Structures are given as C-alpha cells and as structure tokens.
Amino acid sequence: MAKNRKKITISDIAKQAGVSIATVSRVLGGSDYPVREEIKQKIIDIANQVGYKPNVFSQMLRKGKSCEIGIVVPSITNPFYSQLLSAAEQECLSQGYVPFICNSMSNQQLELNHLNMLEERNVAGIILSSVNSGDVLIERIKEMQMPLILFDQSFNGYKGDCIQFDFFKGAYLATEYLIQCGHRDIVFASGELDRRSRCLMYEGYKQALKDFNLSVSRRKVIYSFVEEQNFEKKDYYLGQELGKLLMQREYLPDAVVTVNDMIAIGLINHLKKENIQIPHDISVMGFDDIAISEMVTPALSTIHQPATETGSLAAKVLINRIKDISHDTVQILMQPSLVERDSVRKIHKKVRR
C-alpha cells in the first residue's frame, strides 16, 4: 500500500530557501512587504517544484476578507458555458481566489436569488452571464456592494465592466456564408427571442439578407421552447422541436441558421430520423464552436466564439478590479470567426455547353 505523502508546508519551503517562515508567508501570500526579487523568485521556484498548495481559506481568515468569486451562468451542462466556466475557474485559482459556481438554469428569478445569496456570502466579486435583461436586474446590479463583471453578453447602455461577444456580426457571418454558398431560402431557428444575444443574432441574420437583396419575413423564423424538466439537455431537445416544426412545412428551406451548436445538433438528429440528408437536402449552421461540433456527423459548420479567452479575461478583469477599485472601466467586444466544416452544401450552378 502506498504511503500518504507528507503535506508540504511553508516551514519546509523556508528551510530549503534558507529564509524565515515569515518571509515565505509574505511572498506566497501576496503581501506588499518588501522582499528582494532574487529571494522572492527562489521561494516561488521551490514552491512550484515541491507542489505547494496554499490553504486559501486560511489566507482569507488571516486577511480578514473573502477570496471567493461567484460565477453565475445559465447552464453548466451546455458545453459552451462549461468552457467559459473552466477558463474563469482556472484564472481565479491561479490568482488565489476560490470560484463559487452558480447555475441559474436560464431562470431569471433563480439568477436574482443567486446574486442575493452571493452578496450575503460577501464574496470578493461576481462574474455574471445573465439571461435577464429587465430593469429589475439592472437595478439589482447597481445595488451590489462588490465588484461585478458581465461576460458573454451585456445590456444596452451598461456602463460597468463587461466582456461580451459580437452576436450581430456572428449571425451576419453565418447568413452571409450560406448565401455565398448559393442558398437563398434561409430560416432562422431559435428559442424564444427573450435574450439580448438572440435578438442581436436575429438582427444580424436580417441585415445579411437585406444586404444581398433577399426577402426578410417572419415566415422564415421558427422558435420554440421546452419544459424545465428537460433542462440538462434543454437546447438539444429544443433543436429537435425546431426540426419537427421544419418538417411540418410544405417545403424544406435551403438552409437554417441556429443560435447555438446544441440546438443545431438536435435539429440535425431529428431531420436524420426523417430521412433528410445533411447537407444534401438542407444546410445547417451552428453557433459557438463547442468541442463536440467537429465530432458529430456531419461535422458542424459554425461560428467560433472564443469561450476560453472570454472566461479567462473576465476573471482577470474582475480580480484587477478587486485589487484596485479605481481602475478604468473595461468593455471588450470579442469577435466571431467562421468555421467551415461539412454541414453546409456549396451549390454550384451548371455551366452551359
């Protein structure tokens, strides 16, 4: 049986570095107490070599302040938000903060409840991806007693820190690509247009049609919803429901723009059950570029959202705000890019002899 390894302490590091325990504590605890740079680097190198893991909760007690950061997202099962969470969590831990993860389940009231709980818990700061764009939430954010940053999406006129994505441009790129591939009858498939991100995507879709002199009609928009008990696979089931709506039409459209990859995958799988071939019979565009999108058949053409970069950057900005409440407001708009795979058919016109 393997013996339990002795836990490395700051006393062990102090002995190896030839310095006092107090000096090690100051360096690893992030103190402003002056320590010569070569000594500081020596202590950090030894700590990394021996795999020292500080007790962050003890640090919190010693400093008399919280090292917890609340992270609120609409879903922990959607791979896109999992990427955001993982990157934000890693950044928090690397800087000595403990992430406290909250799943709002796309429920506006639950989201508000999480914010109330985090404030009562007196966390150091909050990273929020909101499904709520109402005045109640905006006023609640203004009342928060700790730093807060919005990520993934923001609100019209929001003046605080935010790392958001250009949803309008992303949907424009997706629609433009379908048009350039020869498609003309293009449907926009979504859940209810009750989020700012979805509304911006719808506007981007319409603008691309207008710019290529194609008709814009509510007939080309399909949306649905699924019951809350299906939450873990909510977007996948939503895609299947949207597939059913497509099959109720007299004619299938040339192509479909969806608002996320999980919806696209659900839609494709339902169409396959109906013996519809993708992309031969209909082309499908996803949105997000989650890892599974290139593993399904056909591999999903989609719009890349830099989820990892967004999550990491949001955590960095928030921690900087915690450390220096006076720094300038940070508002960054992350840019989309097109990912070409196999779910879109390129239609070539026949050439006359």
Side-chain angles (χ1 to χ4, degrees), residues 10-75:
I10 60 173
S11 177
D12 299 321
I13 296 172
K15 287 178 183 177
Q16 288 193 43
V19 298
S20 70
I21 293 175
T23 299
V24 175
S25 179
R26 287 163 182 157
V27 171
L28 298 183
S31 169
D32 293 331
Y33 190 90
V35 177
R36 291 207 316 273
E37 192 59 39
E38 61 269 25
I39 297 297
K40 182 185 293 185
Q41 192 57 52
K42 184 178 182 181
I43 291 170
I44 293 172
D45 289 342
I46 292 172
N48 289 333
Q49 290 169 11
V50 300
Y52 172 71
K53 293 180 175 59
N55 187 323
V56 292
F57 292 102
S58 296
Q59 291 179 351
M60 286 162 54
L61 291 173
R62 286 198 299 271
K63 295 176 181 178
K65 62 181 180 180
S66 174
C67 283
E68 288 185 315
I69 288 178
I71 308 177
V72 185
V73 294
S75 170

Side-chain angles (χ1 to χ4, degrees), residues 43-305:
I43 291 170
I44 293 172
D45 289 342
I46 292 172
N48 289 333
Q49 290 169 11
V50 300
Y52 172 71
K53 293 180 175 59
N55 187 323
V56 292
F57 292 102
S58 296
Q59 291 179 351
M60 286 162 54
L61 291 173
R62 286 198 299 271
K63 295 176 181 178
K65 62 181 180 180
S66 174
C67 283
E68 288 185 315
I69 288 178
I71 308 177
V72 185
V73 294
S75 170
I76 59 173
T77 55
N78 185 315
F80 172 73
Y81 290 109
S82 297
Q83 285 181 267
L84 280 174
L85 274 176
S86 179
E89 179 182 36
Q90 187 174 354
E91 185 61 35
C92 289
L93 292 172
S94 73
Q95 297 205 43
Y97 288 85
V98 181
F100 191 94
I101 297 169
C102 301
N103 181 9
S104 72
M105 301 186 184
S106 296
N107 183 293
Q108 296 183 5
Q109 185 56 54
L110 182 55
E111 182 180 291
L112 286 169
N113 292 345
H114 282 320
L115 292 178
N116 293 337
M117 178 273 295
L118 291 171
E119 188 169 48
E120 291 175 5
R121 196 177 177 90
N122 196 31
V123 297
I126 296 173
I127 303 173
L128 171 64
S129 177
S130 178
V131 295
N132 193 337
S133 58
D135 293 337
V136 173
L137 178 67
I138 295 172
E139 290 303 314
R140 184 69 188 90
I141 289 175
K142 290 179 181 178
E143 296 170 356
M144 299 300 290
Q145 298 300 307
M146 66 277 296
L148 180 146
I149 182 169
L150 297 177
F151 75 151
D152 182 33
Q153 56 185 307
S154 184
F155 309 119
N156 287 327
Y158 182 69
K159 303 297 184 183
D161 293 329
C162 64
I163 312 295
Q164 58 182 312
F165 182 72
D166 196 336
F167 292 99
F168 177 95
K169 185 175 179 181
Y172 187 100
L173 284 177
T175 310
E176 178 185 50
Y177 174 63
L178 290 172
I179 295 169
Q180 291 173 341
C181 288
H183 301 298
R184 294 296 178 266
D185 184 9
I186 302 170
V187 162
F188 181 82
S190 172
E192 293 182 282
L193 299 179
D194 56 354
R195 302 183 194 175
R196 182 170 181 267
S197 57
R198 290 176 179 174
C199 292
L200 287 171
M201 291 171 70
Y202 179 48
E203 293 302 318
Y205 155 82
K206 289 194 298 181
Q207 189 60 54
L209 293 180
K210 291 176 182 176
D211 288 350
F212 284 87
N213 298 315
L214 297 177
S215 63
V216 177
S217 168
R218 290 293 297 181
R219 185 185 61 83
K220 293 184 177 182
V221 179
I222 58 170
Y223 62 89
S224 185
F225 67 93
V226 292
E227 298 296 330
E228 290 299 319
Q229 59 262 31
N230 293 327
F231 180 78
E232 288 188 0
K233 297 181 180 178
K234 183 175 181 179
D235 286 339
Y236 177 79
Y237 288 139
L238 177 56
Q240 292 191 318
E241 291 300 316
L242 293 169
K244 292 176 185 177
L245 291 177
L246 276 182
M247 292 303 299
Q248 291 173 10
R249 297 187 166 210
E250 185 177 1
Y251 298 103
L252 284 175
D254 297 337
V256 181
V257 175
T258 64
V259 295
N260 68 47
D261 287 345
M262 289 305 295
I263 288 176
I265 292 168
L267 185 147
I268 287 173
N269 283 351
H270 180 78
L271 293 179
K272 283 182 177 179
K273 292 176 184 177
E274 300 286 347
N275 296 317
I276 303 300
Q277 297 182 45
I278 313 298
H280 182 270
D281 296 325
I282 183 172
S283 292
V284 179
M285 277 294 300
F287 201 105
D288 283 343
D289 192 25
I290 58 177
I292 197 174
S293 63
E294 63 178 335
M295 304 175 194
V296 296
T297 303
L300 187 64
S301 299
T302 188
I303 296 297
H304 176 70
Q305 281 202 72

